[in-house]
Amino acid sequence: MPEYSGFVEPYPTPPGSDDGDRSLPIAGLRPEILASWQRSHSLGIDREGAALPIESDLDPDSRLIRAATPVLDRLCERFAGISVTVALADSRANLVGRWGDPAGLSLMDAASLVPGANVDERFMGTSSVSMVLSTRAPFVVVGHEHFLHGLKELTCMAAPVRDPVGGTVRGAVNLAVPRALADPGMALVLQDATERIGERLLELSTARERELMRSFHQARERGGHVELDLGSGELSRLGGPTPPLASQERLTLLERAVELISSTGETFAEVPLAGSRVALLRRRELHHGDAEGAAVEVSFEDAGGTRTPGPATVSAPDGRHVPLLNYPAEAAEPSTPDATAEPDAAAPTDAWLLLVGEPGVGRLAAEARGRLSLLNEAGGRLGTTLDMWRTAEELAEIAVPRFADLVVVDLVESVLAGEEPPPGRVRPDVALRRVAARTSLARTDEAGPDEARPDEARTDEARTDEAWTDEDSRGADFGGVNEPVGYPAGTPQARCLDSGQPVMDSVLTTGLAGHPADKVHPVDLLGEGVHSYLGAPLSARGSVLGLAGFYRRGRTRPYEEDDLTLAGELAARAAISVDNTRRYYREHHASLTLQRSLLPHVLPQLSTVDLASRYLPADARAGVGGDWFDAIPLSGMRVALVVGDVPGTGLQAAATMGRLRTAVRTLAGLDLLPEEVLAHLDDLVSRTPDESADEEDPATGTTCLYAIYDPVSSRCTAARAGHPPPALLTPDGEARLIDLPAGPPLGLGGIQPYESATFDLPADSLLTMYTDGLLKESRGYGDTDARTGQLLASLDLAGPELEDICDRVADTLPPGGPQDDVALLLARVHALPEDRVASWEFPSDSSVVARARELTRAQLAAWDMSELDFNTGLVVSELVTNAVRYGGSGPVGLRLLRDDSLICEVSDRSNTSPRIRRAATTEEGGRGLFLVAQFTKSWGARFMPQGKTVWAEQLPQPEQPASETDEEALLAMFDDPG
């Protein structure tokens, strides 16, 4: 035996603890050991000497013992001279073999570690064998980590024995050595030995299969039966045609045959086929030595029970009919005494052999096909919606009951919020939330079996307490969803999240009721006992998004290595869908934020126009598209009303809409006429980003309706670019469409000019502007006239409230919602009363400036706005003086408008635009517009067909007394810098 250079460093014993300490140490223990100690302590195991149950009915010639004996003999020879003992345990933690020096074996006898003793955690507490069988991985328990005091001087190393066919853990090998002699190399040698035992299990399986096949060949020679040719997929037998089978039918028969071979109770099965035929499958037991197998034969009948005519039946040498795998009594005895086949006189004579094999191999094949079927279903069902909660529910629905009796899915809170998950490992204190839970297990009714409530007295709440039976193959949801969850360190869930790898473990729920660990596992559904748990992380793109927990009640179907891979694959597919949904949520939220920011949040509050609007997206999930509306206050108390529709949907259309809306507001600020605004927009859209590139602006084909309402004249001027005309409802008339010149959509106008029309809007008239989505019944326009009639009818029946009118118009849409986005803008107009308007016209002469100030002062007194006398007089003097000097020979107009503010307008016949400039110190003039800007809220100029109007707006402040003007401070504004 080679000499080892190092030793296994024992974990430090907590201060103040010794062999006589009966308390549970907290420091110095690994989390998984501490969790095992807590479970052992809750079970009340005596740490001085546990009472181990003894299994007396052990098979001394089992395949595990035969495979392990020569390997473990050589292992003990390798450690000759060192006080080591080697123990072999089966998958149920029963000791089935011991090796080692006599002194070590005597110590095992004293500790009741005899053949047949069960060393599971339930009886012995923390041990290396129980940890291996629960985690399915090698494990070392060092010295003081043993729960039993009698084992604290030993270091125990254990490794699982896996069957290469399917990866099933068939048992575990434990190597115990005094703590001072423990060496890391021993664990490596032990793992090599368990791998060799797995290889021998495969060799023995192959030998058994060869023996069983020899039996089948002998039966074929005696019975003359035939078998399915997997190459051609056809049934073959000696002489005569065979029943035709479709490709899918052959696969179905083979799968059902595998299930029959692996079944412990089923003997017959019926499989419906095309053409009203039924395939009858029969399972026959076969034996050859210690090899036990089964064969499945098939015969065919029509739906009425009549047997399908087949080829000539197989006959024995004496001419009698011989069923499959049956032979006449006169037939020669088989060459191998162990090769037997059970006769059955009732067997059909036109049966074909489908499959032969061992039940265990058949079970593995059936489970492998089941796993593939589960993965195939997961590929088609997982991620069908962009909903994290629904994806988690789909994962649970797929796994229950075929893969698990109970499934819970937890996601990281930040992932549910659409945030970026933390990269790498998940911290133990990360916030998790349960998003799905499903089970096929029965839940005990709180009323008890003797207190069952009558059916007529059961409420919905009572029904949720009733039993969910295993017969419900679909499973059922249970409580705890949408609640926060957490997993302490050392739990299998915490190990899974920390490692990012699937984890298998056993769950001992006997001592968990009322325990803090009760919150980790659904004890009320699993019930008391030991159950199988498999945790798989939901990992995607290098981050752990959550955890899926799979439970199987009891230990009759423990999870195996292949299940670990399957759970990891299911969780990975679900994680990709969850991460895609998270990314969609984030991008969708950003898109909606952008799109909604491009529409007006609040319409302006105007005294001359009441406004209301609606935006109805065709796709509620996609949100806002390319339709928009706007209301823009203009000078002279006018307002611009805009509705537009950009082709397409989604973020591109919304971004284009935002660009055009910004351009419209900019052009509106220049006080341009409606046709000029559309002409500038058309020119903007017609220009491509690169003249040499064959590109088209995304805004090409946009429609737009632009209208300006003047409350002084009660007139509206509007122009449209390929847009539906507005509807007008007068106070004493019916709703009608306004006839406007039809201009081309933006970007398609070419040299065709846009035209506007002016029409009267009586006070309290309702102007309705909308996009064409309101007129569409399908992806096309459908009957536009009928839809327009519905719109006008809804306006005729409208009440005084604009919001109610919006709802009434929206009700005219098809029941399934609009086929295209709909933007709706309602404007009820009011005329400015005549007593709030004052206007004069003067000749172009400097002497009129004083007269203009005098009239202004008198009008302000009449309006009780004398506090604005000084500022208004200054503004009127400067604007009228400029109009006289630079406005040409025509008359000069002065108009005052009173609303919430005071607007002063001066008009002349010049088209020259005024601008502010800084006058030099030596100049006597040039400061008029500067003073106007200082003493008003805002000012500007708008152009008319002949001339221009310069306006200035002031806000009255009656609560503040007029202050004396600081002339020195005013003059200091005009000093040259430096």
Side-chain angles (χ1 to χ4, degrees):
M1 174 179 174
E3 295 183 359
Y4 299 109
S5 57
F7 293 93
V8 174
E9 290 293 337
Y11 288 86
T13 304
S17 64
D18 53 30
D19 290 345
D21 189 7
R22 297 299 181 265
S23 62
L24 291 177
I26 300 301
L29 289 179
R30 288 173 284 172
E32 54 267 38
I33 294 292
L34 180 58
S36 175
W37 274 49
Q38 291 172 338
R39 294 192 297 268
S40 303
H41 185 74
S42 64
L43 291 173
I45 298 175
D46 187 358
R47 300 182 66 190
E48 297 299 330
L52 304 181
I54 307 297
E55 175 65 45
S56 59
D57 189 17
L58 293 178
D59 182 6
D61 195 33
S62 68
R63 191 153 59 111
L64 176 62
I65 295 178
R66 282 191 292 154
T69 297
V71 177
L72 298 184
D73 285 340
R74 289 195 296 271
L75 180 64
C76 288
E77 293 174 1
R78 186 168 184 176
F79 289 114
I82 301 179
S83 180
V84 299
T85 55
V86 177
L88 174 66
D90 61 15
S91 59
R92 296 178 297 170
N94 291 318
L95 293 182
V96 295
R98 304 184 308 173
W99 291 262
D101 59 55
L105 295 178
S106 298
L107 291 176
M108 294 184 70
D109 290 338
S112 299
L113 299 177
V114 297
N118 193 299
V119 294
D120 190 75
E121 184 182 73
R122 294 172 295 168
F123 313 111
M124 185 178 176
T126 306
S127 70
S128 55
V129 171
S130 63
M131 297 300 288
V132 164
L133 293 180
S134 63
T135 63
R136 305 296 201 272
F139 204 90
V140 178
V141 178
V142 181
H144 72 283
E145 292 182 332
H146 285 98
F147 187 78
L148 298 181
H149 287 289
L151 301 179
K152 288 186 177 294
E153 295 302 321
L154 297 176
T155 292
C156 294
M157 314 171 188
V161 176
R162 300 183 187 280
D163 192 334
V165 181
T168 308
V169 175
R170 296 297 184 184
V173 177
N174 179 77
L175 188 149
V177 61
R179 186 169 56 179
L181 301 178
D183 186 280
M186 293 180 175
L188 300 178
V189 173
L190 177 62
Q191 292 187 45
D192 291 339
T194 55
E195 291 176 2
R196 177 56 186 152
I197 295 174
E199 295 173 359
R200 285 184 50 79
L201 284 174
L202 181 61
E203 294 171 0
L204 291 176
S205 296
T206 304
R208 291 163 60 89
E209 291 174 0
R210 286 198 298 265
E211 293 174 359
L212 200 56
M213 286 303 299
R214 188 180 304 113
S215 164
F216 297 154
H217 286 305
Q218 292 170 350
R220 181 173 57 185
E221 293 173 0
R222 292 189 301 273
H225 66 267
V226 297
E227 58 190 24
L228 184 68
D229 184 352
L230 295 180
S232 63
E234 298 294 339
L235 294 169
S236 60
R237 68 182 297 166
L238 300 175
T242 57
L245 286 176
S247 161
Q248 186 59 41
E249 291 177 334
R250 288 194 297 268
L251 291 177
T252 302
L253 291 179
L254 282 175
E255 290 181 359
R256 197 67 184 92
V258 168
E259 294 174 1
L260 277 179
I261 289 179
S262 61
S263 172
T264 57
E266 287 186 278
T267 306
F268 297 93
E270 292 187 356
V271 179
L273 302 176
S276 301
R277 295 181 304 160
V278 177
L280 304 177
L281 276 65
R282 180 185 181 91
R283 179 179 187 268
R284 293 179 175 277
E285 301 290 339
L286 291 173
H287 305 276
H288 192 290
D290 66 342
E292 297 182 358
V296 175
E297 58 184 357
V298 59
S299 59
F300 301 93
E301 293 182 355
D302 59 23
T306 305
R307 190 172 302 280
T308 302
T313 58
V314 179
S315 300
D318 60 357
R320 291 183 302 166
H321 297 308
V322 181
L324 179 66
L325 298 180
N326 193 11
Y327 55 90
E330 294 83 0
E333 293 294 326
S335 57
T336 304
D338 293 332
T340 61
E342 298 178 0
D344 190 344
T349 58
D350 55 348
W352 285 260
L353 180 65
L354 273 182
L355 194 67
V356 294
E358 287 189 87
V361 178
R363 179 185 63 83
L364 292 174
E367 291 179 353
R369 262 188 284 272
R371 294 185 183 104
L372 289 176
S373 174
L374 206 61
L375 281 178
N376 182 63
E377 182 179 350
R381 291 183 58 184
L382 281 178
T384 56
T385 61
L386 287 173
D387 186 332
M388 297 186 196
W389 298 77
R390 182 55 194 153
T391 298
E393 291 170 359
E394 289 169 345
L395 174 61
E397 291 171 359
I398 291 170
V400 174
R402 288 188 291 172
F403 183 69
D405 297 323
L406 184 151
V407 175
V408 293
V409 182
D410 309 320
L411 290 181
V412 178
E413 290 273 17
S414 60
V415 172
L416 284 171
E419 301 174 5
E420 196 70 27
R425 297 180 177 181
V426 175
R427 302 187 312 275
D429 58 344
V430 69
L432 296 171
R433 182 166 294 273
R434 181 145 298 165
V435 293
R438 196 165 184 82
T439 184
S440 61
L441 300 176
R443 187 172 188 172
T444 305
D445 191 326
E446 294 179 355
D450 298 330
E451 303 175 12
R453 292 180 289 268
D455 291 342
E456 60 273 14
R458 294 178 182 174
T459 63
D460 292 338
E461 182 179 358
R463 291 190 185 97
T464 61
D465 293 333
E466 293 181 355
W468 297 323
T469 65
D470 294 318
E471 297 175 358
D472 184 3
S473 61
R474 297 171 300 173
D477 298 327
F478 59 92
V481 177
N482 199 21
E483 293 182 1
V485 293
Y487 299 112
T491 59
Q493 294 92 335
R495 298 203 310 270
C496 178
L497 292 172
D498 180 65
S499 64
Q501 299 294 327
V503 170
M504 287 188 296
D505 206 340
S506 59
V507 178
L508 182 63
T509 60
T510 304
L512 292 184
H515 191 271
D518 187 8
K519 302 298 183 182
V520 175
H521 303 288
V523 178
D524 57 336
L525 289 173
L526 292 172
E528 294 188 356
V530 181
H531 314 284
S532 298
Y533 172 80
L534 196 161
L538 300 177
S539 302
R541 301 177 177 93
S543 299
V544 177
L545 311 180
L547 173 73
F550 305 91
Y551 293 87
R552 286 179 181 171
R553 186 162 62 178
R555 296 302 302 272
T556 57
R557 294 188 306 139
Y559 285 111
E560 302 171 354
E561 199 69 22
D562 287 344
D563 296 322
L564 206 66
T565 304
L566 174 61
E569 181 65 24
L570 289 174
R573 296 191 182 193
I576 291 296
S577 298
V578 168
D579 195 52
N580 288 340
T581 302
R582 180 193 64 80
R583 290 169 175 260
Y584 170 79
Y585 279 172
R586 185 181 61 187
E587 300 301 330
H588 183 61
H589 178 72
S591 299
L592 287 182
T593 302
L594 170 63
Q595 292 171 350
R596 289 167 180 165
S597 67
L598 298 176
L599 287 175
H601 296 282
V602 179
L603 292 173
Q605 299 293 323
L606 304 174
S607 60
T608 56
V609 179
D610 297 332
L611 299 170
S613 64
R614 284 290 186 277
Y615 193 101
L616 306 173
D619 186 353
R621 295 186 64 89
V624 179
D627 294 16
W628 90 92
F629 56 87
D630 210 345
I632 309 168
L634 302 178
S635 63
M637 300 184 65
R638 298 170 305 141
V639 60
L641 305 173
V642 191
V643 172
D645 185 359
V646 174
T649 58
L651 193 57
Q652 175 68 45
T656 303
M657 174 266 287
R659 179 165 61 93
L660 291 181
R661 178 171 178 253
T662 302
V664 169
R665 294 187 71 89
T666 302
L667 294 172
L670 299 177
D671 269 316
L672 300 178
L673 296 175
E675 65 268 23
E676 293 176 340
V677 171
L678 295 183
H680 281 290
L681 287 176
D682 180 70
D683 183 58
L684 174 66
V685 173
S686 299
R687 290 192 234 124
T688 58
D690 185 353
E691 295 295 342
S692 62
D694 186 17
E695 297 181 6
E696 188 178 75
D697 194 301
T700 301
T702 297
T703 65
C704 183
L705 172 62
Y706 188 91
I708 297 177
Y709 171 66
D710 187 350
V712 178
S713 63
S714 296
R715 294 176 67 82
C716 181
T717 303
R720 61 190 180 113
H723 203 85
L728 175 63
L729 176 64
T730 58
D732 54 353
E734 294 183 355
R736 61 181 176 85
L737 295 180
I738 298 176
D739 186 17
L740 293 179
L746 301 180
L748 304 176
I751 61 175
Q752 182 177 355
Y754 293 98
E755 299 180 50
S756 62
T758 301
F759 50 92
D760 294 327
L761 282 184
D764 296 329
S765 295
L766 179 64
L767 186 66
T768 303
M769 303 169 65
Y770 51 90
T771 56
D772 60 3
L774 194 63
L775 306 179
K776 293 182 179 180
E777 293 182 345
S778 60
R779 290 301 176 186
Y781 271 87
D783 190 350
T784 306
D785 293 338
R787 298 288 302 144
T788 302
Q790 294 178 15
L791 168 63
L792 298 178
S794 65
L795 296 178
D796 283 335
L797 301 176
E801 296 295 330
L802 293 185
E803 293 297 330
D804 294 340
I805 299 175
C806 287
D807 294 337
R808 184 177 293 275
V809 173
D811 290 341
T812 65
L813 293 170
Q819 298 298 322
D820 192 8
D821 292 354
V822 175
L824 176 66
L825 179 63
L826 300 182
R828 175 167 282 134
V829 299
H830 308 290
L832 189 65
E834 294 182 359
D835 59 356
R836 294 195 176 192
V837 181
S839 60
W840 304 273
E841 188 171 271
F842 307 102
S844 181
D845 187 274
S846 58
S847 62
V848 303
V849 176
R851 176 63 177 164
R853 284 201 303 267
E854 181 181 349
L855 292 174
T856 300
R857 184 179 298 109
Q859 187 62 55
L860 291 179
W863 284 344
D864 195 20
M865 301 179 73
S866 298
E867 74 276 3
L868 296 178
D869 195 356
F870 176 81
N871 293 350
T872 307
L874 178 62
V875 170
V876 169
S877 295
E878 293 298 334
L879 295 185
V880 172
T881 298
N882 284 343
V884 170
R885 288 182 179 179
Y886 312 110
S889 59
V892 175
L894 172 62
R895 185 170 73 166
L896 298 179
L897 304 177
R898 178 194 174 189
D899 192 41
D900 296 334
S901 61
L902 177 65
I903 301 173
C904 176
E905 297 181 341
V906 176
S907 305
D908 58 45
R909 296 299 178 90
S910 173
N911 290 325
T912 303
S913 176
R915 63 184 179 88
I916 297 178
R917 70 179 181 88
R918 179 176 290 276
T921 305
T922 58
E923 291 181 322
E924 296 182 358
R927 300 176 179 88
L929 290 180
F930 189 89
L931 291 174
V932 170
Q934 290 293 324
F935 287 98
T936 61
K937 173 191 174 187
S938 59
W939 74 279
R942 67 176 181 269
F943 294 90
M944 301 175 293
Q946 293 181 351
K948 68 177 181 297
T949 297
V950 181
W951 57 270
E953 182 179 8
Q954 301 176 75
L955 292 177
Q957 298 177 345
E959 70 279 359
Q960 297 182 358
S963 60
E964 296 184 2
T965 304
D966 187 350
E967 298 177 355
E968 294 297 330
L970 187 61
L971 292 175
M973 297 179 182
F974 301 97
D975 290 343
D976 289 336

